[in-house]
């Protein structure tokens, strides 16, 4: 897997947010991601395509919906990178909340 491509995919804030949602090992439809990340369907689909192209997520068609989940076949070293980025993002958000209070 291409580490720079993975990091570039996760560097965009909407895609990082999407990764935070799908990392729970569940499936999430585009409509849920749109609502949680406050973005349009076309933007969300474009962002999910970038994550899919990087190999981070897989999709499944369910009638008119597309459902995404974390790629279960991520190599352990790549999963460690993803987990580290998601942990750093959580810590940054918590620190930002603390500083704003």
């Amino acid at each position: 897997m291409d580490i720079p491509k993975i990091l570039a995919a996760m560097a965009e804030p909407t895609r990082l947010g999407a990764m935070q949602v799908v990392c729970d090992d569940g499936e999430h439809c585009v409509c849920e991601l749109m609502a949680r990340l406050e973005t349009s369907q076309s933007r969300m689909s474009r962002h999910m395509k970038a994550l899919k192209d990087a190999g981070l997520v897989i999709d499944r068609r369910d009638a008119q919906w597309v459902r995404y989940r974390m790629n279960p076949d991520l190599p352990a070293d790549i999963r460690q990178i993803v987990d580290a980025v998601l942990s750093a993002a959580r810590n940054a958000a918590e620190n930002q909340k603390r500083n704003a209070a």
Side-chain angles (χ1 to χ4, degrees):
M1 295 191 85
D2 185 352
I3 292 173
K5 186 173 185 174
I6 289 167
L7 293 173
M10 292 183 68
E12 199 285 329
T14 300
R15 292 192 293 261
L16 179 60
M19 287 300 296
Q20 289 171 317
V21 173
V22 302
C23 75
D24 68 356
D25 294 326
E27 283 190 327
H28 302 274
C29 69
V30 171
C31 60
E32 177 189 350
L33 294 167
M34 288 168 41
R36 289 180 68 175
L37 300 171
E38 299 178 347
T39 191
S40 68
Q41 187 275 329
S42 61
R43 279 185 55 113
M44 196 73 251
S45 292
R46 189 171 65 245
H47 287 306
M48 295 312 292
K49 180 181 179 341
L51 293 172
K52 184 178 174 186
D53 289 348
L56 295 171
V57 299
I58 60 172
D59 63 354
R60 177 180 68 84
R61 267 222 170 283
D62 180 19
Q64 77 269 23
W65 301 110
V66 178
R67 300 186 184 279
Y68 291 93
R69 65 183 172 122
M70 181 80 81
N71 183 348
D73 297 324
L74 283 178
D77 57 339
I78 300 299
R79 182 62 195 237
Q80 288 177 333
I81 292 168
V82 170
D83 290 343
V85 170
L86 295 174
S87 178
R90 269 191 309 277
N91 291 340
E94 290 170 6
N95 288 336
Q96 194 173 38
K97 285 180 186 177
R98 256 186 256 126
N99 292 336

